[in-house]
Amino acid sequence: MTPFASSDKIPATVSKSAPFDLETTVAGDVSVVGGVALGEKLPTLEQVRGPGAPRRFALAAAETVVGRGQQAHVTIESTLLSRRHVLFRRSGHELSLVDLDSANGVFLNGVKAHAALLYEGDTIQVGDVVFVLHEAPA
Amino acid sequence: MSAPIFVRFWGTRGSIPTPGHKTRRFGGNTSCVEIRSGESELVCDGGTGLRELGLELLQRRQPPRSVHLFFSHMHWDHIQGFPFFVPAYAPENELTVYDPGSGRVEELLHGQMRSDYFPVNFSDLGAKIRTRHFEAETARVDDFEVRCFEQAHPGRSFGYAFELGGKKIVYATDSELDRLLVNRDETERDAEKLRRLPSELVACVAGADLLIADGQYTDAEYPKKVGWGHARANTVVDLAHQAGVKQCAIFHHDPLHSDELVDQKIAAAKARLAARGSSTLVFGAREGLELKF
């Protein structure tokens, strides 16, 4: 399912030679994090605020780390983010997040959360970065 | 310095489990909240959320596992998960069940596992299970200081305040706060007036980092539910504001409430706090949410 190991550094933008078909998975200006099976519909993080916004990241891998460090799968240049700030996890149809003991915390819909299950429309704030979660379409 | 306290919601629904797509975000399992710090594992209520917590504990903690179980009361939606709490079946584990008032907690747990209701008898559970009575209002549980207080609910219920390392978590479900108002006449004339609660109750909740409280009803719903033992969410936030609570989790959601209706109930509670200029943060408790203190 996932040609990239979760610990691999994933390119922020996937080239047309990537081993999957973006056209059938996600539409719009999307960077894909992790691998995608052909035709698989993906949950996405829509970044609506912070450095680099607006843009979208598809959560293709089982685990995706967001942070400012090179060890993160999604790197965002913000001093308010820890190097490895928050982990997004996919397990079947379940999406969740875990705060990786970040300095400034993770806020889910305005509540400082250590861990949580995620659903359509949830707002996740890390430092000055705000994401809106979109579940994969049915 | 104490280890951090983690609070996780395993079941937030009131009265009866409500699985399905309309309740998936806030969850359909009945009352169960985990409070843990270091090696201490405390659980509030054994609603159907307890089943999944039990499975998680098998993964997370090595035996022998020690779990402290606090029941607010023994109505169905607070005990139904107990027979499915897998750690209770393993002889190396130890459960301490707290009985704040009735003296019948163990008898009632036995009762719901009679063969008329369930295929395994309580006496066949392998774990060492002991009942501990609150000799006074407070008890020491590992490094936690736990205070219990009686609430307004048919057949009695109890709330608990857990304190550790300067942090305070209060679990107060199944309490009809609206029957306790000290200015009821005034608030019936003007629903926007602050609903004042007795000073003893405010003291129990005072300064909590987190208040988890039954706010099952909207103001509009409550008049038809008087005497059923549950509170209006707007009354809960008035208590939280009076008590200087930092965060208030509205809990025990009505089984008739979809996620959208819970959202509306919380939005009304937020607006009420905002109108008072309150610093209290309110949110709807939802399954899977874990907070760190």
Side-chain angles (χ1 to χ4, degrees), chain A residues 68 79-85 99-107 112 127:
Chain A
R68 69 174 162 79
T79 55
L80 297 177
L81 264 64
S82 296
R83 289 183 178 84
R84 289 166 48 86
H85 196 111
D99 183 348
L100 297 174
D101 293 325
S102 66
N104 291 323
V106 177
F107 291 82
K112 191 173 184 181

Side-chain angles (χ1 to χ4, degrees), chain B residues 57-95:
Chain B
L57 289 179
L58 295 184
Q59 304 293 321
R60 192 201 299 155
R61 291 192 187 272
Q62 294 301 309
R65 304 173 186 89
S66 174
V67 178
H68 301 272
L69 192 47
F70 297 83
F71 288 102
S72 61
H73 64 313
M74 304 302 282
H75 284 170
W76 279 344
D77 51 324
H78 298 261
I79 63 172
Q80 274 180 314
F82 184 81
F84 298 90
F85 186 54
V86 179
Y89 288 77
E92 67 270 25
N93 296 333
E94 182 175 307
L95 265 63

Side-chain angles (χ1 to χ4, degrees), chain A residues 46-104:
Chain A
E46 178 187 7
Q47 188 189 343
V48 297
R49 197 184 305 166
R55 57 182 166 174
R56 284 178 176 235
F57 301 98
L59 298 174
E63 296 192 339
T64 302
V65 173
V66 175
R68 69 174 162 79
Q70 292 304 306
Q71 307 97 324
H73 300 121
V74 173
T75 302
I76 298 178
E77 299 291 336
S78 168
T79 55
L80 297 177
L81 264 64
S82 296
R83 289 183 178 84
R84 289 166 48 86
H85 196 111
V86 58
L87 167 68
F88 293 90
R89 185 175 283 142
R90 277 177 74 198
S91 178
H93 291 293
E94 194 171 277
L95 293 167
S96 60
L97 67 74
V98 180
D99 183 348
L100 297 174
D101 293 325
S102 66
N104 291 323

Side-chain angles (χ1 to χ4, degrees), chain B:
Chain B
M1 188 172 162
S2 302
I5 303 172
F6 294 90
V7 178
R8 187 179 183 98
F9 297 98
W10 291 91
T12 64
R13 190 65 50 175
S15 307
I16 192 167
T18 55
H21 68 279
K22 290 182 179 175
T23 57
R24 64 190 286 262
R25 187 155 41 89
F26 287 97
N29 280 310
T30 58
S31 301
C32 183
V33 175
E34 177 190 18
I35 300 173
R36 70 177 192 275
S37 181
E39 294 301 307
S40 298
E41 186 74 39
L42 283 60
V43 179
C44 296
D45 275 332
T48 58
L50 183 65
R51 186 186 71 85
E52 287 193 50
L53 169 57
L55 297 173
E56 167 88 4
L57 289 179
L58 295 184
Q59 304 293 321
R60 192 201 299 155
R61 291 192 187 272
Q62 294 301 309
R65 304 173 186 89
S66 174
V67 178
H68 301 272
L69 192 47
F70 297 83
F71 288 102
S72 61
H73 64 313
M74 304 302 282
H75 284 170
W76 279 344
D77 51 324
H78 298 261
I79 63 172
Q80 274 180 314
F82 184 81
F84 298 90
F85 186 54
V86 179
Y89 288 77
E92 67 270 25
N93 296 333
E94 182 175 307
L95 265 63
T96 306
V97 178
Y98 291 81
D99 190 336
S102 70
R104 297 179 62 215
V105 165
E106 192 166 331
E107 171 197 337
L108 294 169
L109 289 175
H110 270 271
Q112 77 159 344
M113 295 181 73
R114 275 176 28 196
S115 59
D116 304 279
Y117 305 117
F118 197 72
V120 182
N121 287 325
F122 184 93
S123 54
D124 292 330
L125 295 174
K128 293 180 273 297
I129 301 176
R130 66 184 179 117
T131 304
R132 184 175 167 190
H133 298 269
F134 270 82
E135 302 296 341
E137 285 184 343
T138 60
R140 196 86 182 169
V141 178
D142 295 340
D143 290 332
F144 281 90
E145 182 173 299
V146 185
R147 178 180 183 183
C148 71
F149 51 96
E150 188 156 1
Q151 306 181 122
H153 194 70
R156 303 175 84 190
S157 76
F158 292 86
Y160 297 93
F162 302 89
E163 295 189 57
L164 174 69
K167 300 292 184 184
K168 181 175 179 179
I169 313 297
V170 179
Y171 180 77
T173 194
D174 292 63
S175 180
E176 192 168 348
L177 297 179
D178 300 279
R179 291 178 80 95
L180 303 175
L181 299 181
V182 297
N183 63 339
R184 186 181 306 171
D185 291 345
E186 182 183 33
T187 59
E188 283 179 358
R189 286 194 301 274
D190 182 355
E192 300 308 312
K193 285 279 185 191
L194 183 71
R195 299 167 190 173
R196 297 191 182 281
L197 279 305
S199 56
E200 301 82 10
L201 175 59
V202 173
C204 290
V205 175
D209 294 277
L210 176 65
L211 166 64
I212 302 162
D214 168 2
Q216 184 160 340
Y217 303 132
T218 65
D219 278 11
E221 291 167 326
Y222 180 66
K224 290 183 178 174
K225 320 274 180 152
V226 171
W228 291 16
H230 304 288
R232 294 178 284 186
N234 282 349
T235 307
V236 173
V237 293
D238 279 11
L239 168 62
H241 174 62
Q242 286 166 75
V245 167
K246 295 183 181 69
Q247 292 189 83
C248 175
I250 300 293
F251 186 75
H252 207 273
H253 304 304
D254 193 284
L256 292 173
H257 285 184
S258 65
D259 288 335
E260 288 69 28
L261 286 174
V262 176
D263 282 336
Q264 291 172 24
K265 181 177 70 173
I266 301 304
K270 280 183 180 173
R272 192 173 176 89
L273 285 170
R276 301 193 193 294
S278 179
S279 60
T280 299
L281 174 72
V282 62
F283 61 95
R286 72 187 218 187
E287 260 181 62
L289 176 63
E290 182 170 296
L291 309 177
K292 180 182 178 184
F293 297 91

